[in-house]
Amino acid sequence: MDLDSQPARSFPTPWAAAAVTLCGVCAFLQLYCTQPLLPLLTKIFHASKTGVGLTVSAATLGVALSAPVFGAFTERLARKRVIVASLLGISIPTLLAATSTSLGQLIFWRFLQGIMVPGVVAVLVTYIGEEWPPDRVALIMSFYVSGTALGGFMGRVGTGILTDLFNWRVAFVVLGASSLAGAAAVAAWLPHGHRRPSSPTASDVRTTFISQMRQLFGSSRLVATFAIGFNVLFSLVGVFTWITFHLSAAPYLLSTAALSSLFFVYLAGLVVTPAAGLLITRVGLRAGIAGAIAFSMVGVLLTLASSLYVIVLGLALLSSGVFVAQTASQSHLRVAAPPGARVTAAGIYMSCYYIGGTAAGVVPGAFWAMGKWPACVAFIVAMQAVALAIALIGWRTPLLPLTQAQLIP
């Protein structure tokens, strides 16, 4: 059933928009929380830089592996029920991570944290597209992306501060308890969906999954979107993971709390992203994402400066550009995917996105060994240049009807 043919309905209240933002906060509160702890974890567990980097990559790998499963097999389930259950599922491994007595155990709990994230992210992207009118999707998506930025900021900064004040175990307990509280708030504020298409039967899911995959990967626009997702998170995780080693060494010698304070630059994204969401609806997704990627490339290059203030500015430009690019790519995913496979498309996108994050926690280590931070910067900027080319070429041909084509130039 086409959503456009349904009778007019009232759209979600501001409380629902707040719940969408909170979903982003809770889903990302603990996903990257070990980044400011990496230099400390190398000492605590007597491990290598690549070894402790797995505490970041394990979580993103969990997301990458489970995203297609959530996408393919939750089409028939209530969107809100999946989202709330997944938020609860994120909280439990977070609390259990505080009991880790070895690096291997910590990596295991981090992996389980990541497993549950797509139950929020992939399903929420589809929920937004179903419940808000097309001309508001990019704006509400920007609220969600701002929530992810706030969650990532709070998780990293909070973990660093709590670790300095108490220890890293207390930090994980606080994050887990906060996630439980967030799940309760989302359960209270997020309404059940009213504009969703008819749910497929179980046999339909089994018989159409392969055909859906063929259809999705047969679309050049969607394949380009999946590739952009990989590159977007690769650049963000790659920079913020490996620059901690650069800034914890001479001449900067930043402490764990100081390293966590670097993530205050995420606050810039909270301001820039909603404004960019409005701008994207005017200039189009293709122009919007091209500008965002170029913006983030400049930011990465600025981290080569010797001044810590310029480095922080570069991190702010990078993170803001990445958040805007994420808004554009997820908005494009919604309008480019066929109606019956949008959750599946979101799951594939999230898988590619977090494979990029997983690779970023490990692959730049080879470049660090060759030339430390300058070599990492060269590699990450090259990856961003590839993403820019893919966006300009892959999103070139419009496919949408006039009512939604305004989102793409």
Side-chain angles (χ1 to χ4, degrees):
M1 182 177 181
D2 192 339
L3 294 179
D4 294 334
S5 67
Q6 294 184 15
R9 298 178 185 267
S10 59
F11 293 107
T13 66
W15 284 108
V20 165
T21 304
L22 190 56
C23 284
V25 171
C26 294
F28 287 82
L29 188 64
Q30 57 282 97
L31 192 62
Y32 305 110
C33 66
T34 60
Q35 281 184 325
L37 305 182
L38 295 180
L40 176 65
L41 293 177
T42 59
K43 299 175 182 176
I44 292 175
F45 294 112
H46 307 287
S48 66
K49 292 179 176 63
T50 301
V52 296
L54 290 175
T55 63
V56 178
S57 294
T60 55
L61 179 62
V63 179
L65 293 178
S66 66
V69 176
F70 275 103
F73 297 106
T74 60
E75 288 280 9
R76 298 175 64 243
L77 302 178
R79 310 287 196 219
K80 178 180 176 179
R81 186 172 300 173
V82 174
I83 291 169
V84 173
S86 298
L87 288 173
L88 293 173
I90 293 170
S91 305
I92 295 172
T94 304
L95 294 169
L96 291 173
T99 68
S100 301
T101 58
S102 67
L103 181 60
Q105 289 179 14
L106 180 59
I107 290 171
F108 173 74
W109 294 123
R110 296 282 294 149
F111 176 75
L112 292 187
Q113 285 176 332
I115 287 287
M116 299 305 297
V117 170
V120 180
V121 179
V123 178
L124 186 66
V125 169
T126 300
Y127 178 93
I128 291 171
E130 291 171 352
E131 297 304 311
W132 276 271
D135 63 347
R136 289 291 180 268
V137 168
L139 178 61
I140 301 301
M141 198 74 73
S142 72
F143 291 164
Y144 156 70
V145 174
S146 293
T148 68
L150 180 60
F153 160 74
M154 293 173 61
R156 292 164 167 108
V157 173
T159 299
I161 293 174
L162 289 169
T163 298
D164 263 11
L165 291 177
F166 304 100
N167 57 61
W168 66 272
R169 298 181 192 278
V170 171
F172 273 96
V173 170
V174 172
L175 291 183
S178 299
S179 296
L180 287 175
V186 171
W189 296 345
L190 192 69
H192 289 286
H194 297 295
R195 296 175 59 82
R196 129 177 227 181
S198 300
S199 298
T201 64
S203 59
D204 288 338
V205 172
R206 288 192 298 268
T207 57
T208 61
F209 178 66
I210 295 178
S211 62
Q212 281 185 356
M213 295 290 283
R214 289 175 178 171
Q215 182 182 20
L216 295 174
F217 280 100
S219 167
S220 61
R221 294 183 72 90
L222 286 175
V223 171
T225 305
F226 300 153
I228 290 168
F230 176 98
N231 276 279
V232 164
L233 192 60
F234 184 94
S235 62
L236 186 68
V237 174
V239 169
F240 277 97
T241 296
W242 292 92
I243 201 170
T244 60
F245 298 111
H246 175 57
L247 297 179
S248 65
Y252 306 102
L253 300 174
L254 298 188
S255 66
T256 300
L259 289 173
S260 68
S261 69
L262 293 174
F263 296 98
F264 272 97
V265 300
Y266 271 43
L267 296 180
L270 300 182
V271 177
V272 171
T273 305
L278 291 172
L279 180 62
I280 286 171
T281 61
R282 296 186 178 185
V283 304
L285 295 176
R286 183 167 173 260
I289 198 169
I293 293 173
F295 203 64
S296 65
M297 291 173 71
V298 173
V300 177
L301 290 172
L302 287 178
T303 65
L304 291 172
S306 58
S307 169
L308 184 59
Y309 295 106
V310 176
I311 292 174
V312 171
L313 173 62
L315 293 176
L317 295 179
L318 163 69
S319 57
S320 297
V322 165
F323 298 148
V324 174
Q326 185 182 1
T327 297
S329 60
Q330 290 187 328
S331 298
H332 178 267
L333 182 73
R334 162 66 191 172
V335 296
R342 281 171 178 156
V343 174
T344 303
I348 295 171
Y349 174 85
M350 295 309 298
S351 182
C352 295
Y353 185 77
Y354 284 101
I355 288 173
T358 302
V362 179
V363 175
F367 292 86
W368 179 276
M370 290 188 292
K372 296 194 175 179
W373 182 238
C376 289
V377 167
F379 177 56
I380 292 169
V381 169
M383 292 291 290
Q384 289 177 310
V386 171
L388 178 59
I390 291 172
L392 292 175
I393 297 172
W395 289 9
R396 187 168 45 194
T397 306
L399 336 141
L400 302 176
L402 185 60
T403 56
Q404 294 180 5
Q406 58 193 18
L407 293 174
I408 299 178

